[in-house]
Amino acid sequence: MEATLKAEARSNNTKSERKGLRAKGKIPAVVYGSKVSNTPIAVDEKELLALLRSNPHAIIQMDLPDSGKQPVMINEVQRDAILRNVLHVDFHQINMDEPVTTTVRLDYVGEAVGVKMGGILQVQHHEIEIRCLPKQIPASIEVDISGLEVGSSMLISDLSVDKSIEIKSIANDVLVTVLAPQKEELPADTEEEAEQKAEAKAEAAANHAQETV
């Protein structure tokens, strides 16, 4: 899946410049690779956020000021620790004829047999790491969970992908499992009910003691 993004040149990398760019709706960034030197750039914030929401691992055709259109991928996104707004982005220029390592979203489809029987579906991974040529990166990998019974699991090694794709995540990691239904706990007595039970128990004990005298 490809996207497009236009980059603007920026002259320096000072704190005041980065702050000024953000005030104008731009995000400071850098792009680097075999065909592009370490170049400070700025990208439109709205376009970038739309890309991050739709497919943060997409191949991006970026129009660079000095290098023209180059395929790039997002390597790192720096966010504010509290507000979580984007502060800076690292883009990596890639070669379309060389494999790249990236992550891909997992789409779980179907309803597990175990869930129909009252089990609880527990998903451990929402994405995995793969390596392949850029044009072979899938938008997502479909995972059919309909055959999972209570107590059964699916591992990363159980995934079915095209032979051109190498899965880099740990093969024996659990993707998803169906847990046994939890027993319902009886509601705890209220303070008044507990006192009534204690009084009844004490009265019964007293009556029993009198009968045995």
Side-chain angles (χ1 to χ4, degrees):
M1 183 176 180
E2 291 190 358
T4 59
L5 199 61
K6 185 175 181 179
E8 299 178 9
R10 55 188 180 99
S11 56
N12 54 61
N13 197 27
T14 63
K15 184 176 180 180
S16 60
E17 183 217 27
R18 295 193 297 271
K19 185 176 180 180
L21 285 170
R22 297 187 192 105
K24 296 177 182 178
K26 304 290 183 181
I27 299 296
V30 65
V31 59
Y32 52 85
S34 60
K35 297 179 181 179
V36 180
S37 59
N38 197 331
T39 306
I41 58 171
V43 295
D44 184 82
E45 182 179 23
K46 291 183 179 179
E47 292 181 3
L48 176 66
L49 293 180
L51 178 61
L52 291 175
R53 285 191 297 266
S54 62
N55 189 358
H57 309 300
I59 300 170
I60 305 166
Q61 291 298 330
M62 178 174 281
D63 192 0
L64 295 168
D66 298 324
S67 306
K69 289 188 177 181
Q70 296 288 340
V72 303
M73 295 182 72
I74 294 175
N75 187 56
E76 184 180 3
V77 178
Q78 298 174 23
R79 294 179 180 271
D80 183 275
I82 300 175
L83 301 177
R84 303 305 298 162
N85 52 305
V86 178
L87 300 177
H88 188 275
V89 183
D90 287 4
F91 293 97
H92 180 212
Q93 177 264 320
I94 61 174
N95 298 318
M96 298 302 289
D97 58 351
E98 295 180 1
V100 295
T101 299
T102 185
T103 53
V104 174
R105 186 183 75 250
L106 298 175
D107 286 339
Y108 293 94
V109 298
E111 183 179 5
V113 174
V115 173
K116 294 179 182 179
M117 298 172 63
I120 302 171
L121 188 72
Q122 188 175 67
V123 176
Q124 302 287 352
H125 289 276
H126 293 279
E127 59 184 21
I128 61 168
E129 188 177 66
I130 66 169
R131 183 172 176 82
C132 62
L133 290 174
K135 285 189 176 181
Q136 294 169 338
I137 299 173
S140 64
I141 294 176
E142 192 173 278
V143 185
D144 185 359
I145 61 172
S146 57
L148 286 179
E149 300 179 352
V150 173
S152 62
S153 301
M154 181 176 289
L155 306 179
I156 287 179
S157 59
D158 296 324
L159 288 174
S160 178
V161 296
D162 190 89
K163 61 181 181 181
S164 63
I165 298 174
E166 177 188 1
I167 295 178
K168 302 295 290 183
S169 297
I170 300 173
N172 60 358
D173 271 6
V174 175
L175 283 177
V176 58
T177 188
V178 178
L179 303 176
Q182 297 179 353
K183 294 181 179 180
E184 292 186 8
E185 296 183 1
L186 295 175
D189 291 335
T190 63
E191 185 176 346
E192 183 179 353
E193 290 172 337
E195 290 178 354
Q196 290 175 351
K197 287 183 178 181
E199 290 174 359
K201 186 175 181 180
E203 184 178 350
N207 292 337
H208 179 71
Q210 291 177 356
E211 291 174 357
T212 57
V213 173

